[in-house]
Amino acid sequence: MYRGRLERDLKIWTDKGLVDAGTAKAILSEYDGRQTSFSAGRVLTIIAAVLLGLAILLFISANWEALPRIARLLGLVAMIWGFYLATAYLLARGRSILAAGLLILGTLSFGGAMALVGQMYNLSGDELRMMIVWFIAACIVAASFRSSAQVGLAGFLAWAFCGVYLWGHFDEWYGLMPWMPPLMAVVLIVLVRYADAPAARHLAYLMLVGWLTWLFGRHEGLNTAILFAALGMAAFLAVSIPASPLMPFARTAGAAPAFYAFLVASIGFFLIHAEISKGSFENNVWVEDKLPLIIVAAATLASSVIAIALSGRDNGAVRYLAYFVFSCEILYLASETIGSIIGTAGFFLVAGLLVAIAAWLVIQLERRFSDNRGQGKRA
C-alpha cells in the first residue's frame, strides 16, 4: 500500500520537475531493497517454516516411544542448535529469507522439545510457565539475530499466553501472572525498535488493549469505565500534544501510539454508555433523566474533536476512528432522543456551536504556531 502511494507521489513530483527520473527510480529501488518491506517470498518462507516445524514435531512425537531416552534428548538438542547454527551461516552468506525461516523452525522446535522433555522426565510445572520460558527464548533469539520475523513469532507466543491465562483465570489474581501481558508488551516494543520490526508493534498494543479490557471485566462498574476513558485520553494527549515530552518519542513509532491510546479512550466512552444505560434501566429512570446521557455524549463528541484537532492532519488512523466515534455518537443520540424532536434539534444546535468554537480555536492556534515558526526562521 505504501509503495503504491510512494510511486504515485514520485510520478507527480517527477512530472512537476521537483524530482528527476533517476532520483525517483533510486528511491524506489532503495525502498524495495529494505528487509522490512513486504515480500511474498518472505511470507511464504515463514509459512513453510511453521508447517515444517509442526510436521517435524508431530513426526518426533509419533515415534517418541521407539527412541532411547538418551537419543531423544541428544536429538532434540542437536536439532535446535542445528537450526540456529544454520541460521548464522545463512546470514553470513546474505540469505536472510531462508535464515528467517530456520529461526522460526528453531524456536518452534525449542517449544516442542520443552513439552517432550517434560513428559519424558515427568517434570513439574504448568503450561503457562512453559509458555513464558518459550516467549523468553524467542525474545533472546530475536535480539541475538535482530530478526523481525522472530519478533513477530514472540508476539504471537505472547498472545497465546494471554489467551490461555485470561480465558482460564478470569477471576484469579495472584503473583506476577496478571502483570505478564503488559510486561510482554513492553518487551515486544523494545524488540520492535531494536530489530526494526514495525509490524509487530501492533501485537503489543492490541495485547495491552485486551489486557485493559480484561481488567474492566474484573472490576466492572461506572467508575472503572470513567477511569478507562480518562486514562485513554490522558495517554492520547501525552503522545499528541506538541509540548509533551513524550511527543518526540511517540513520533518515531508512527501512528500507532496515538491511535491505540484514542482507541482505549473510545472503548472507555462506550463502556460508560453501557454502564449508564444499565443503571438507568435497572432503576427505571431513563426516560425522566437524560442528564447523564448529555454529559457523556458531550464528552465523547469533544474527545473526537480533540483527536481530530491534534492528530487528524498527520494520522489517518486517528482521524477515521474519530470520525467513526463522532458519527456513532450522533446516531446513538438520535435514536435515544427521537421522542423529542425539539430536544434533539436543540442538542445538535449546541453541539454544532461547540464544534464551531473548537474549530475556530484550532484555526487560531495553527495560525499562531505558523507565525511563531516563521518568526523563528527569520530570526
Short mmCIF file of all heavy atoms in Angstrom, two decimals, residues 232-257:
data_model
loop_
_atom_site.label_atom_id
_atom_site.label_comp_id
_atom_site.label_asym_id
_atom_site.label_seq_id
_atom_site.Cartn_x
_atom_site.Cartn_y
_atom_site.Cartn_z
N GLY A 232 -7.21 6.61 28.83
CA GLY A 232 -7.01 6.61 27.38
C GLY A 232 -6.79 8.00 26.82
O GLY A 232 -5.88 8.23 26.02
N MET A 233 -7.62 8.96 27.24
CA MET A 233 -7.46 10.33 26.76
C MET A 233 -6.17 10.96 27.28
O MET A 233 -5.50 11.71 26.56
CB MET A 233 -8.65 11.18 27.19
CG MET A 233 -9.89 10.97 26.34
SD MET A 233 -9.62 11.23 24.56
CE MET A 233 -9.14 12.95 24.52
N ALA A 234 -5.80 10.64 28.53
CA ALA A 234 -4.54 11.17 29.06
C ALA A 234 -3.35 10.65 28.27
O ALA A 234 -2.42 11.40 27.95
CB ALA A 234 -4.41 10.79 30.53
N ALA A 235 -3.38 9.36 27.94
CA ALA A 235 -2.30 8.79 27.13
C ALA A 235 -2.29 9.40 25.74
O ALA A 235 -1.22 9.69 25.18
CB ALA A 235 -2.45 7.27 27.05
N PHE A 236 -3.47 9.62 25.16
CA PHE A 236 -3.53 10.23 23.84
C PHE A 236 -2.96 11.64 23.85
O PHE A 236 -2.19 12.02 22.95
CB PHE A 236 -4.97 10.24 23.34
CG PHE A 236 -5.16 11.01 22.06
CD1 PHE A 236 -4.79 10.44 20.84
CD2 PHE A 236 -5.68 12.29 22.06
CE1 PHE A 236 -4.93 11.14 19.66
CE2 PHE A 236 -5.84 13.00 20.89
CZ PHE A 236 -5.46 12.42 19.68
N LEU A 237 -3.33 12.43 24.85
CA LEU A 237 -2.81 13.79 24.94
C LEU A 237 -1.29 13.79 25.17
O LEU A 237 -0.57 14.64 24.63
CB LEU A 237 -3.50 14.54 26.07
CG LEU A 237 -5.00 14.81 25.87
CD1 LEU A 237 -5.60 15.45 27.12
CD2 LEU A 237 -5.25 15.68 24.65
N ALA A 238 -0.82 12.81 25.93
CA ALA A 238 0.62 12.75 26.23
C ALA A 238 1.45 12.48 24.98
O ALA A 238 2.60 12.92 24.90
CB ALA A 238 0.89 11.67 27.28
N VAL A 239 0.87 11.75 24.01
CA VAL A 239 1.64 11.43 22.80
C VAL A 239 1.23 12.29 21.61
O VAL A 239 1.74 12.10 20.51
CB VAL A 239 1.48 9.94 22.44
CG1 VAL A 239 2.01 9.05 23.54
CG2 VAL A 239 0.03 9.60 22.12
N SER A 240 0.32 13.26 21.83
CA SER A 240 -0.18 14.07 20.71
C SER A 240 0.06 15.56 20.86
O SER A 240 0.18 16.27 19.86
CB SER A 240 -1.69 13.82 20.51
OG SER A 240 -1.95 12.46 20.25
N ILE A 241 0.10 16.06 22.09
CA ILE A 241 0.31 17.49 22.29
C ILE A 241 1.76 17.84 21.96
O ILE A 241 2.69 17.19 22.45
CB ILE A 241 -0.01 17.88 23.75
CG1 ILE A 241 -1.50 17.68 24.03
CG2 ILE A 241 0.39 19.32 24.02
CD1 ILE A 241 -1.89 18.01 25.44
N PRO A 242 1.98 18.84 21.12
CA PRO A 242 3.37 19.17 20.72
C PRO A 242 4.29 19.49 21.90
O PRO A 242 5.48 19.20 21.84
CB PRO A 242 3.18 20.39 19.81
CG PRO A 242 1.78 20.26 19.29
CD PRO A 242 0.99 19.64 20.39
N ALA A 243 3.75 20.07 22.96
CA ALA A 243 4.59 20.44 24.10
C ALA A 243 4.91 19.26 25.01
O ALA A 243 5.70 19.40 25.94
CB ALA A 243 3.90 21.54 24.91
N SER A 244 4.30 18.10 24.78
CA SER A 244 4.52 16.95 25.65
C SER A 244 5.94 16.41 25.48
O SER A 244 6.44 16.29 24.36
CB SER A 244 3.50 15.85 25.33
OG SER A 244 3.82 14.66 26.02
N PRO A 245 6.60 16.04 26.57
CA PRO A 245 7.95 15.45 26.44
C PRO A 245 7.94 14.09 25.76
O PRO A 245 8.99 13.64 25.29
CB PRO A 245 8.42 15.34 27.90
CG PRO A 245 7.17 15.34 28.71
CD PRO A 245 6.19 16.18 27.98
N LEU A 246 6.78 13.41 25.72
CA LEU A 246 6.69 12.11 25.05
C LEU A 246 6.45 12.24 23.55
O LEU A 246 6.53 11.23 22.84
CB LEU A 246 5.56 11.28 25.67
CG LEU A 246 5.73 10.87 27.14
CD1 LEU A 246 4.50 10.09 27.60
CD2 LEU A 246 6.98 10.04 27.31
N MET A 247 6.15 13.43 23.09
CA MET A 247 5.80 13.61 21.68
C MET A 247 6.93 13.19 20.74
O MET A 247 6.70 12.46 19.77
CB MET A 247 5.40 15.07 21.43
CG MET A 247 5.03 15.37 19.99
SD MET A 247 3.57 14.45 19.45
CE MET A 247 3.35 15.11 17.80
N PRO A 248 8.19 13.61 20.95
CA PRO A 248 9.25 13.17 20.02
C PRO A 248 9.44 11.67 20.00
O PRO A 248 9.67 11.08 18.94
CB PRO A 248 10.49 13.90 20.56
CG PRO A 248 9.97 15.05 21.34
CD PRO A 248 8.69 14.56 21.94
N PHE A 249 9.33 11.03 21.18
CA PHE A 249 9.48 9.58 21.24
C PHE A 249 8.34 8.88 20.53
O PHE A 249 8.54 7.91 19.79
CB PHE A 249 9.55 9.14 22.70
CG PHE A 249 9.65 7.66 22.87
CD1 PHE A 249 10.86 6.99 22.69
CD2 PHE A 249 8.53 6.91 23.22
CE1 PHE A 249 10.95 5.62 22.86
CE2 PHE A 249 8.61 5.55 23.38
CZ PHE A 249 9.83 4.90 23.21
N ALA A 250 7.10 9.38 20.74
CA ALA A 250 5.94 8.75 20.11
C ALA A 250 5.96 8.93 18.60
O ALA A 250 5.51 8.05 17.86
CB ALA A 250 4.65 9.34 20.69
N ARG A 251 6.49 10.05 18.14
CA ARG A 251 6.52 10.30 16.69
C ARG A 251 7.39 9.28 15.97
O ARG A 251 7.11 8.92 14.82
CB ARG A 251 7.01 11.72 16.43
CG ARG A 251 6.99 12.13 14.97
CD ARG A 251 7.32 13.60 14.82
NE ARG A 251 6.31 14.44 15.43
CZ ARG A 251 6.41 15.76 15.51
NH1 ARG A 251 7.50 16.38 15.06
NH2 ARG A 251 5.44 16.47 16.07
N THR A 252 8.44 8.80 16.63
CA THR A 252 9.30 7.80 15.99
C THR A 252 8.60 6.46 15.83
O THR A 252 9.05 5.61 15.05
CB THR A 252 10.58 7.60 16.81
OG1 THR A 252 10.23 7.13 18.13
CG2 THR A 252 11.35 8.90 16.93
N ALA A 253 7.52 6.24 16.58
CA ALA A 253 6.76 4.99 16.47
C ALA A 253 5.62 5.08 15.48
O ALA A 253 4.84 4.14 15.35
CB ALA A 253 6.21 4.59 17.84
N GLY A 254 5.50 6.20 14.78
CA GLY A 254 4.47 6.33 13.76
C GLY A 254 3.10 6.65 14.34
O GLY A 254 2.97 7.32 15.38
N ALA A 255 2.06 6.13 13.69
CA ALA A 255 0.70 6.45 14.07
C ALA A 255 0.18 5.59 15.21
O ALA A 255 -0.87 5.90 15.78
CB ALA A 255 -0.23 6.29 12.86
N ALA A 256 0.88 4.53 15.56
CA ALA A 256 0.34 3.54 16.49
C ALA A 256 0.05 4.09 17.90
O ALA A 256 -1.03 3.86 18.44
CB ALA A 256 1.26 2.33 16.56
N PRO A 257 0.99 4.79 18.56
CA PRO A 257 0.70 5.22 19.94
C PRO A 257 -0.55 6.08 20.07
O PRO A 257 -1.39 5.82 20.95
CB PRO A 257 1.96 6.00 20.33
CG PRO A 257 3.03 5.46 19.46
CD PRO A 257 2.36 5.15 18.16
#
